[in-house]
Amino acid sequence: MNQALLLSVFVVASCGLAYELIAAALASYVLGDSVTQFSTVIGTYLFAMGVGSWLSRHVTRDLVVRFIQIELMIGVLGGFSAAALFFAFVWFAAPFKLMLYLVVFAIGALVGLEIPLIMRILKRDLAFKDVVSQVLTFDYLGALVVSVLFPILLVPHLGLVRSALLFGLLNALVALWALWLFREKLPRLGWLRTQCVVALLLLGSAFAVAGKVTDLAEAHLYSDEIVHAETSPYQRIVITRWKDDLRLFLNNNLQFSSRDEYRYHEALVHPGLATLPGARRVLVLGGGDGLAVREILKYPQVESVTLVDLDPAMTTLFSTAPALTALNENALASPKVRVVNADALQWLEENNERYDFVVIDFPDPSNFAIGKLYSSAFYRLLDKHLTENGLAAVQSTSPLYARQSYWCVVTTIESTGLVATPYHALVPSFGEWGYVLISRRAYQPPADYSVATRFLTPATTSALFEFPKDMARVEAEVNRLNNQVLVRYFEKEWRQVIR
Amino acid sequence: MDRRHFITGLGAVAGSTLLPACSPKAGKPIPPGRLLGSSLTLGHRLRSGAFPEPSETRRLPVVIIGAGIGGLSAGWKLKRAGFEDFLLLEMESEAGGNSRAGKNAVSAYPLGAHYLPLPTREAVATRELLAELGVLKGDPRAPRPEYEERYLCATPQERLYRNGLWQEGLFPQMGVAADDLAQYAAFQERMADFRQRRDSDGRRAFALPMALSSRSPDLLALDNTSMRDWLLAQGWDSAHLHWYVNYACRDDYGCSSDAVSAWAGIHYFACRDGEAANAETDTVLTTPGGNAWLADGLAQGLDERILPNALVYRVADTGRAVEIDLFLPQEARSIRLLAGQAIWAAPLFLVPGILAGNPMLQQAAQKYSYAPWLVANLTLKAFPEERAGTGVAWDNVLHDSPGLGYVVATHQQMRLRRGPTVLTYYRALSELSPTDARKRLEQTSREQWAADILDDLARPHPDIREQVTSIDIVRYGHAMARPIPGFIWGGARSPFAADEPRLRFAHADVSGFSLFEEAQYRGVLAAERTLDRLRIPYASSLS
């Protein structure tokens, strides 16, 4: 019996430390500044334990029953702490800190009650010196084990939400075990047993569906109603709608808003294509939403458009969903359009065809894998696919928010001997956005647009090629496969913007 | 099979993970694969020595024995000089030696050596080869030439897994004390000094090719102590620094820092100073198939001259010609070649068993010892799950591992998404004596090696077992000569480096350690000496 209680001290101590670490890690994760978060959380927690210990003198009767109930309370409160704090953060940012310290304080106070109670239960059978030495030994051992397991096993394998639930379950199991150990001495056994079972069921089922918790939370990361969500082998595709505004998110990054996407896509396509009356063959890399293709198909001289997009889920969605085909004017179903679901780079390496106009709409260079697609090696590969008078338009991040990144793309294109013509446009949902036209000889903006536009006019086009002072050219290194400076610039610059 | 790393950041290495992050999943079957390394069985046949008498004798002006990098380089130089009347004999079914590659539906992948550092200015032959292959652009003797971008290793080049985290560079950056950092900085500074140092004749302290190094007695004396003892004698006792240097020795020479001579150990850090117009000095040249492109480049146009599956079992210099007896397993007969000039480009441990009538060379060859290696190629249907920290690099090193880490065959690809890949895992069996290690290599099953490797890789990649579809293991009983203390400058090599009237040696073993540049230098040198004897004019590729 005593050994069993000591073992429960071990478990109880592990759980206590775990909640403290989880709260501190979660606070660091969402608020940053981990030194502050860890010290304030640990400080609050230890102080609360002191309060709990002090309060334990007021527990005078039914020690075992109180102990079991406290275990259940810690289990439920601690177990759901991470999930609750996470939701609190997603829903309302302001009182998050208040909630954090309240939760930490409550768990701390309850944990502070535990050890004095156990010592008093054990004191009935053991000498005081043995009680103190044994209880404290197991207390500290439990803390050690969790502090080692937390970074190595728990966070990487379970994550914070499920780790907390796991420890909640452990607390509840200790309660159940204590119930069994003292089953012959306890009053109202049935009622206590019901409490245990309810707590265990709550925690167990939450643990089982914890994967879904992130989905629920995700819904609140988007401000609008989610009308479509799917996870393809390549990415998470989410479409939201608010009134007439459709938005596409890929892996939580906004790709377009139907309110102003015409600005983005007109600027991507027309300054280049409008200067190529002889353009017959067009290639689009990325852009599975078909919106660039919609703009390209406005030119009657274009005979074929090849769209290479990795994800069949994207091209299928934008070929079939009525709201989306309305947006891209059923561009992907046009007989002129051939959709290829392949890795654009592999496809470029394996095909030798040349194109009069190429649209390059890759994601921003946020990691080394994508950074390669903005390297001098990539532009040399592109060069092999351009006809003699061909042009390519590249989306190349924001010259305002990521100024050096933008000019790095320009510098890199120039390093390969190609001509780079930088320009930009304002897309309200993105901000000021940058593009580069790639050509073999000097490029002249179009004097007129033969196709219908909502944004571009011949008179305003020249302004796209003017860079105001805060977006003017800055020095940048050439982005090479073997230095990947662009990813480093981009990381540095966007980190400053996001704050 | 040399693996060389340069220092990218400050820090030192220590500590060990408290607990393995994930225990191996018992019961999961080992993925299928092949066990390669036929030299083991053919080598045994050589030792048993029963071959039919030669049924035919042919005369040839020049014969090259062995079509690894040394032999191919000799053939390459002969052909460049316009001389093509020679035969290259290769025991294996294809040329390339330690620089061969495999290929499957996913990617090409190295079976051994996998990269070449930017060549030094002395490595003229290497630069000429790279220029011929279009990888070095412009003048091969330019101080800072431009290299073809797709061959320069893409960023990030290397990372280290330690205490549950991946970090950039090979030098630990977390939890490292100031004293360790200071020792590491001092070590780096000393290596930089060695890199700059020249003797009164203008020779570099540590040159690559090593034959061009200074013979200054104080430098050569470094060969008599071990790398580990030399570090300690400098007052450097940091466990982090010792881990780092030991890793370098295992990686490059297949033996630990207490078994490598300080001269060889310092050579590793101090010889590379190759520069490029479009890359940092520590950049390497690599391809999915490792160094096979270099072997293929050397072998270009030599197809007709290479005889594969030819097992040379006896070589003797008769004073008028070199008799070369070889067994052709596919024809089940032996033939004898009488070569006016012969170049031995096979590893030197074969000398005692094959070269007849030359006790001096046989004795010299017995002073060599060899490091056994294991190379495993794991084919994955997708990139494995990753632990926290910096993203996947070309070379991925595990801190507390019997292995040396793995390289990613698809690293040089430009792709939107990471798809299937091949990981090449290296392991030098440096913890055992070479004899015991060879025994272990022979007796351990493929399944056992595969299980060990999966356990090792499951620490940073918990789901690796779900992703791996096959594991091929290549065993190298004698992967490379070991530069143990007293060996490099102790005289064992010199009889093989000498220019004899008919038979000369062209293998990295003549330099004492296994680097592409050394093998190529020895091959080209032997070819040029042969051309001298034949009175054929040529432009030297050695200076």
Side-chain angles (χ1 to χ4, degrees), chain A residues 224 239-242 244-249 253-265 289 291 294 327 427-430 454:
Chain A
D224 304 335
I239 311 266
T240 68
R241 180 201 292 276
W242 185 76
D244 63 341
D245 183 13
L246 280 175
R247 291 178 175 228
L248 167 69
F249 294 83
N253 294 317
L254 177 65
Q255 301 300 304
F256 69 73
S257 152
S258 63
R259 292 214 162 164
D260 61 14
E261 59 76 20
Y262 66 92
R263 281 182 156 245
Y264 177 88
H265 291 105
D289 53 29
L291 297 171
R294 176 193 67 200
L327 190 63
V427 184
S429 57
F430 290 174
R454 293 169 68 192

Side-chain angles (χ1 to χ4, degrees), chain B residues 205-206 213-225 263 489:
Chain B
F206 296 91
S213 299
S214 167
R215 301 296 197 275
S216 168
D218 63 315
L219 290 171
L220 299 196
L222 291 167
D223 192 40
N224 297 321
T225 181
W263 194 90
W489 297 106

Side-chain angles (χ1 to χ4, degrees), chain B residues 230-243:
Chain B
W230 181 79
L231 286 178
L232 292 173
Q234 311 309 303
W236 294 329
D237 57 358
S238 156
H240 306 307
L241 180 62
H242 278 262
W243 178 86

Side-chain angles (χ1 to χ4, degrees), chain A residues 23-138:
Chain A
L26 193 137
S28 308
Y29 177 60
V30 299
L31 299 175
D33 192 4
S34 57
V35 173
T36 308
Q37 309 313 337
F38 268 87
S39 34
T40 53
V41 165
I42 290 173
T44 309
Y45 191 83
L46 289 178
F47 170 68
M49 279 176 70
V51 173
S53 302
W54 182 76
L55 288 175
S56 70
R57 65 206 288 259
H58 298 296
V59 181
T60 47
R61 286 179 299 122
D62 299 335
L63 286 187
V64 175
V65 175
R66 294 290 166 267
F67 174 73
I68 290 170
Q69 287 169 331
I70 286 169
E71 281 308 300
L72 292 175
M73 281 157 77
I74 297 175
V76 172
L77 192 59
F80 285 100
S81 61
L85 287 171
F86 187 61
F87 276 104
F89 181 77
V90 170
W91 272 321
F92 20 74
F96 173 76
K97 282 189 184 174
L98 179 69
M99 235 191 104
L100 170 72
Y101 293 117
L102 277 179
V103 167
V104 168
F105 189 89
I107 299 174
L110 288 168
V111 171
L113 279 165
E114 279 177 324
I115 298 295
L117 288 188
I118 291 192
M119 287 168 92
R120 281 161 63 192
I121 295 169
L122 282 168
K123 203 180 105 219
R124 298 170 185 165
D125 306 324
L126 288 174
F128 184 64
K129 65 176 171 61
D130 294 330
V131 170
V132 173
S133 108
Q134 292 181 7
V135 167
L136 291 185
T137 302
F138 279 90

Side-chain angles (χ1 to χ4, degrees), chain B residues 30-338:
Chain B
I30 297 296
R34 291 173 300 160
L35 184 62
L36 306 166
S38 56
S39 50
L40 281 173
T41 48
L42 278 173
H44 291 167
R45 170 121 202 210
L46 266 180
R47 255 179 274 156
S48 65
F51 295 101
E53 283 294 305
S55 59
E56 182 194 338
T57 301
R58 283 186 224 162
R59 284 179 188 279
L60 276 164
V62 177
V63 173
I64 302 167
I65 303 161
I69 297 301
L72 289 173
S73 299
W76 174 76
K77 185 63 202 176
L78 291 177
K79 185 169 181 291
R80 270 169 84 97
F83 179 82
E84 298 202 36
D85 201 0
F86 62 88
L87 193 61
L88 254 161
L89 307 175
E90 172 54 46
M91 171 175 79
E92 305 279 356
S93 58
E94 59 167 350
N98 282 357
S99 293
R100 280 171 294 163
K103 192 168 174 23
N104 61 22
V106 172
S107 175
Y109 48 83
L111 297 177
H114 56 287
Y115 74 92
L116 177 74
L118 292 177
T120 61
R121 290 173 77 167
E122 311 92 79
V124 179
T126 306
R127 284 160 161 255
E128 284 186 354
L129 172 66
L130 295 182
E132 189 180 289
L133 299 177
V135 173
L136 184 156
K137 296 174 178 173
D139 177 11
R141 284 175 170 78
R144 300 178 76 233
E146 188 187 334
Y147 290 90
E148 170 56 44
E149 195 169 358
R150 297 299 295 270
Y151 286 77
L152 291 166
C153 182
T155 299
Q157 188 160 301
E158 57 202 8
R159 62 173 182 169
L160 173 67
Y161 182 72
R162 178 172 164 263
N163 296 346
L165 268 182
W166 285 107
Q167 60 152 75
E168 240 177 288
L170 289 193
F171 213 85
Q173 280 151 33
M174 272 171 294
V176 175
D179 179 52
D180 295 300
L181 292 174
Q183 289 194 21
Y184 177 64
F187 173 78
Q188 284 309 320
E189 204 175 311
R190 186 77 64 84
M191 294 303 124
D193 288 348
F194 278 129
R195 220 171 290 140
Q196 301 291 328
R197 190 165 146 189
R198 283 168 193 274
D199 65 12
S200 50
D201 301 331
R203 287 189 291 199
R204 292 184 62 205
F206 296 91
L208 182 61
M210 58 83 74
L212 309 178
S213 299
S214 167
R215 301 296 197 275
S216 168
D218 63 315
L219 290 171
L220 299 196
L222 291 167
D223 192 40
N224 297 321
T225 181
S226 78
M227 188 62 183
R228 181 170 183 277
D229 289 346
W230 181 79
L231 286 178
L232 292 173
Q234 311 309 303
W236 294 329
D237 57 358
S238 156
H240 306 307
L241 180 62
H242 278 262
W243 178 86
Y244 177 73
V245 173
N246 186 47
Y247 176 80
C249 292
R250 289 161 58 214
D251 197 31
D252 225 35
Y253 302 131
C255 40
S256 51
S257 60
D258 55 1
V260 167
S261 101
W263 194 90
I266 296 169
H267 187 271
Y268 169 99
F269 291 100
C271 71
R272 307 286 190 195
D273 65 350
E275 293 183 286
N278 57 344
E280 298 294 317
T281 290
D282 58 3
T283 308
V284 302
L285 297 162
T286 189
T287 68
N291 279 359
W293 68 284
L294 291 166
D296 294 346
L298 288 167
Q300 255 175 45
L302 295 182
D303 297 351
E304 303 287 298
R305 311 258 68 83
I306 299 174
L307 179 64
N309 300 310
L311 186 57
V312 173
Y313 62 88
R314 183 180 162 277
V315 174
D317 186 350
T318 63
R320 302 175 55 190
V322 181
E323 279 181 10
I324 300 164
D325 294 344
L326 55 115
F327 176 65
L328 301 169
Q330 287 165 341
E331 299 175 30
R333 68 179 188 122
S334 302
I335 57 173
R336 171 166 295 172
L337 302 178
L338 289 178

